[in-house]
Amino acid sequence: MINSKVRATGLALLIAATGSFGLTACASDNAAPGASAAAEEQSAVDVAADLQTARQAVLDALESDPSWTQVMLASDVTQPTQKYGLLVMPFVATEAASRVTGTVNIDGDKFVIEADSAATGQTWQIDQDGTITEVTE
């Protein structure tokens, strides 16, 4: 009885592994030409989540008081706080970013936040509209 269970389990694992390898091979053959480029472009911006989270923190600050000309993003606060004459918003960067703009300057309703990728060293920025672009110098 135990022997047949072991054989059945082994056979099931072998079939599952074979199916997984087969699907992986087929998936790469049938991929649309633009799909890999789009996936590659999305993965290239490894700090996108950091940029979007920082942008939302600034938008939340401006929603509470649109007159702010600077908003600080800091990991040492748990709720919006006024410090140093600025509104400080809670923000904790992920390990993907080696640097994220700490003090965001706001001109009217326009602002830009930058983040450096820890993996590639590339600098990316997001604007108030959520558009992410690479910073080239």
Side-chain angles (χ1 to χ4, degrees):
M1 181 71 151
I2 293 176
N3 194 17
S4 64
K5 284 184 180 180
V6 170
R7 285 184 188 167
T9 302
L11 182 59
L13 290 172
L14 180 62
I15 291 170
T18 304
S20 294
F21 291 126
L23 287 174
T24 302
C26 290
S28 64
D29 291 343
N30 295 331
S36 63
E40 198 172 296
E41 183 178 317
Q42 179 63 29
S43 67
V45 186
D46 58 347
V47 294
D50 290 299
L51 289 169
Q52 291 164 346
T53 303
R55 173 184 170 264
Q56 189 59 53
V58 173
L59 291 175
D60 291 346
L62 292 174
E63 185 177 304
S64 68
D65 184 354
S67 67
W68 290 107
T69 58
Q70 288 186 320
V71 172
M72 182 179 280
L73 303 174
S75 61
D76 64 344
V77 296
T78 57
Q79 61 186 10
T81 308
Q82 287 189 16
K83 285 185 177 179
Y84 323 113
L86 301 172
L87 181 60
V88 182
M89 296 296 289
F91 172 77
V92 178
T94 67
E95 291 181 4
S98 62
R99 178 192 69 86
V100 177
T101 301
T103 303
V104 180
N105 295 313
I106 303 161
D107 184 14
D109 62 346
K110 308 278 188 227
F111 61 87
V112 174
I113 302 167
E114 290 186 354
D116 295 338
S117 167
T120 65
Q122 290 174 290
T123 301
W124 298 90
Q125 69 181 16
I126 191 168
D127 65 14
Q128 69 283 343
D129 298 323
T131 304
I132 298 176
T133 54
E134 183 176 7
V135 176
T136 55
E137 295 182 40

